[in-house]
Amino acid sequence: MTEFNSAFNRYCKTYGRPDRIDLMLCDINGVLRGKWFPADHVEKLEEGGVRLPLSTYAPNIFGEEVEESGYGIAVGDPDCQVFPIPGSLSPVTWESSNVAQVLVEMETIDGTITELSPRGILSNIGAQYSEQGLRPVIGCELEFYIFDKRPSLDSPPIPNRSEPKAQNYDMEVLDRNKEFLLELQEACKTQSLDSDVIVAEFGPGQFEVNFQHTDDIVGAADTAVLFRRIVRGVALKYGKEATFMAKPYTEFPGSGMHLHASVLNELGKNIFSQPKGVSQVLKHAVSGVLSTMRDLQAIFAPHMNSYRRFQPNSFAPSAPNWGLDNRNAAVRLPDINNKGARLEHRICGADVNPYLAFSGILGGILYGIKEKKLPPLPIEIDEIDPAERLTTNWLEAVERFAQSEIAAEIFGFEYCRVYAAIRRNEIEQLSRIIPPIEYQVYLSRF
């Protein structure tokens, strides 16, 4: 009996036989794509009889094939076999009928994971740590907004005016949203997602969920992807919408994805920790993520809207700098002398592909550990000149990523080429759209 067959039998024993199984694959944008699959044909899934086009990994944000990527109908749009990821079969708790879901991965004819798989890229990063006798431990924090359902997809969200403009850590906000938040927690528990703390974040209708630290880095990214699906699904059940868009409101803070990361050696000791001061190896790790931050900004800020978080007074770090327990910094060191010694990477928006973002951050840490270079002085030192801000130009970030040696080392040359081609296509399409503000300002003036 296969592992998936055993998991499916356990599911049926606990929840009954599902009406369908949602097969879900994470694309280059962090969007889940796949199929509704009849549970009566589950043996077909186990045997590799289910297929998806390889190009499913690499559409643009509109869901379109990009000819310049080299995938899609231009090359015949070939299929790959789809296989379930062990441990990911779980119920879709917000559905009224019995629906199961499972993450899937594609394999090529020779049985290998395709280089287009974001999950495979992160798995390779983990293998690189293992080769060095090291093991990363990470904990993710995700911010999101909920708001009343909009009349149409092109309508802007309207913030919940019944909540305070600055609701940061407001316990009454949690109480007023108790049913929604409790259902989120229950769904996480049912799907074995290790959610931890929930807080009311700064903006009206904004929340943050923290996840337990784990050395299963791929599982942590799975959790982030599945959690975003839970939030949107449960919100709809309550007549709301939820978004992990980086900057949905001009006047309120954007939503970020912060990653806490430490590294253990073969004995299970945290190599970042020492009794006093910041250890050399932690400084090397900080240097690594800071020196690669500009090259990898297109991963940490993947979309047009992402760059609104880097504008002045946007409540988000916007320069490659670091500090000791300082939330103004892009890299914060919340603990340096205990078992929990770690760095917190604070640049990413909540709109990232978690597999790619984790790969970039952990790849930067490993690069720093290997290079053994020291970072600039922390931002608490008054005498230092402030670091140059990260770009607010999406195309500039994409072109820098496309030419970056460290990006190619972390993600592979082919993936960098495909990623840049897709983003260039999106930039070209979105730059042709005339926004309403231009009509408002210019139409009657000239």
Side-chain angles (χ1 to χ4, degrees):
M1 183 179 290
T2 66
E3 185 172 351
F4 179 75
N5 186 267
S6 298
F8 183 74
N9 287 340
R10 288 194 302 272
Y11 180 101
C12 293
K13 189 175 293 186
T14 304
Y15 304 104
R17 193 174 186 86
D19 300 314
R20 70 168 196 265
I21 305 174
D22 292 354
L23 308 184
M24 307 181 304
L25 177 144
C26 185
D27 76 4
I28 199 167
N29 304 295
V31 173
L32 288 171
R33 301 187 182 275
K35 297 181 176 183
W36 283 7
F37 190 76
D40 291 342
H41 298 157
V42 69
E43 69 285 345
K44 187 178 178 183
L45 179 60
E46 299 176 89
E47 297 164 358
V50 179
R51 295 171 179 266
L52 280 171
L54 181 58
S55 61
T56 307
Y57 278 120
N60 63 20
I61 195 63
F62 309 109
E64 304 163 340
E65 296 173 357
V66 175
E67 185 175 349
E68 293 80 4
S69 73
Y71 294 89
I73 200 66
V75 291
D77 209 13
D79 280 343
C80 280
Q81 292 178 309
V82 168
F83 290 94
I85 292 171
S88 67
L89 180 68
S90 60
V92 182
T93 58
W94 56 92
E95 290 278 3
S96 58
S97 58
N98 188 341
V99 177
Q101 67 177 32
V102 66
L103 289 170
V104 297
E105 192 71 287
M106 283 196 225
E107 291 184 3
T108 56
I109 295 174
D110 61 3
T112 59
I113 300 295
T114 168
E115 59 189 340
L116 289 183
S117 164
R119 201 172 187 276
I121 289 170
L122 182 55
S123 181
N124 289 338
I125 294 294
Q128 291 175 32
Y129 273 85
S130 295
E131 290 168 4
Q132 302 294 319
L134 300 173
R135 182 160 43 100
V137 174
I138 60 176
C140 173
E141 301 172 354
L142 273 172
E143 298 169 342
F144 61 93
Y145 277 93
I146 60 170
F147 47 90
D148 288 337
K149 199 170 181 182
R150 297 168 298 156
S152 63
L153 289 178
D154 59 356
S155 300
I158 298 175
N160 188 344
R161 299 300 183 183
S162 64
E163 302 292 8
K165 286 186 177 180
Q167 62 174 38
N168 220 14
Y169 298 104
D170 192 321
M171 297 297 292
E172 291 184 6
V173 170
L174 296 179
D175 289 337
R176 285 194 290 271
N177 292 275
K178 180 169 64 176
E179 290 186 9
F180 167 73
L181 295 173
L182 288 176
E183 185 150 350
L184 282 189
Q185 290 180 313
E186 186 60 31
C188 287
K189 182 179 178 181
T190 302
Q191 294 189 5
S192 301
L193 309 186
D194 289 330
S195 62
D196 190 6
V197 176
I198 297 180
V199 300
E201 260 298 337
F202 196 97
Q206 188 181 34
F207 298 91
E208 178 185 272
V209 173
N210 300 347
F211 295 92
Q212 299 281 359
H213 288 233
T214 176
D215 62 357
D216 181 1
I217 61 173
V218 178
D222 290 341
T223 291
V225 168
L226 292 174
F227 178 72
R228 294 196 301 203
R229 173 174 159 90
I230 286 175
V231 171
R232 286 191 290 265
V234 174
L236 285 174
K237 181 177 176 180
Y238 283 83
K240 302 283 188 179
E241 285 187 72
T243 185
F244 292 82
M245 184 177 176
K247 188 73 171 168
Y249 301 111
T250 301
E251 68 272 36
F252 300 119
S255 293
M257 189 287 294
H258 302 158
L259 192 72
H260 293 252
S262 56
V263 178
L264 308 182
N265 63 17
E266 291 171 314
L267 300 176
K269 182 180 183 299
N270 185 343
I271 66 173
F272 289 168
S273 179
Q274 69 176 24
K276 289 185 178 181
V278 183
S279 70
Q280 287 294 101
V281 69
L282 180 50
K283 288 181 179 178
H284 296 156
V286 170
S287 174
V289 292
L290 293 183
S291 63
T292 58
M293 195 172 283
R294 294 187 194 279
D295 283 13
L296 304 184
Q297 189 181 356
I299 293 291
F300 305 145
H303 308 296
M304 174 183 279
N305 176 261
S306 309
Y307 291 83
R308 295 190 182 278
R309 288 183 68 248
F310 298 109
Q311 303 289 344
N313 304 315
S314 68
F315 299 90
S318 56
N321 51 29
W322 69 287
L324 297 172
D325 199 12
N326 192 324
R327 285 182 169 83
N328 290 314
V331 176
R332 167 179 171 251
L333 306 187
D335 189 347
I336 58 176
N337 305 130
N338 302 292
K339 289 183 178 180
R342 64 195 186 277
L343 65 79
E344 179 191 8
H345 190 282
R346 297 173 54 80
I347 284 294
C348 297
D351 58 343
V352 293
N353 179 320
Y355 302 103
L356 301 182
F358 293 7
S359 296
I361 296 166
L362 294 175
I365 290 173
L366 189 58
Y367 172 76
I369 291 172
K370 289 178 179 178
E371 291 294 308
K372 294 183 170 59
K373 293 181 180 178
L374 294 177
L377 293 172
I379 62 174
E380 292 88 359
I381 305 298
D382 293 335
E383 295 80 13
I384 67 168
D385 294 326
E388 182 183 349
R389 299 174 70 90
L390 294 166
T391 185
T392 58
N393 186 303
W394 186 18
L395 180 60
E396 181 183 322
V398 168
E399 294 305 334
R400 179 160 184 154
F401 174 81
Q403 298 164 24
S404 168
E405 292 183 6
I406 188 63
E409 184 178 322
I410 293 171
F411 298 98
F413 176 81
E414 173 65 2
Y415 200 84
C416 290
R417 184 194 67 77
V418 171
Y419 189 91
I422 289 169
R423 295 296 177 241
R424 289 183 190 119
N425 174 268
E426 293 173 358
I427 292 167
E428 192 274 331
Q429 290 200 56
L430 288 168
S431 65
R432 293 202 308 260
I433 298 172
I434 301 174
I437 188 64
E438 292 192 22
Y439 293 123
Q440 180 182 332
V441 173
Y442 303 122
L443 196 65
S444 63
R445 292 290 181 182
F446 304 104

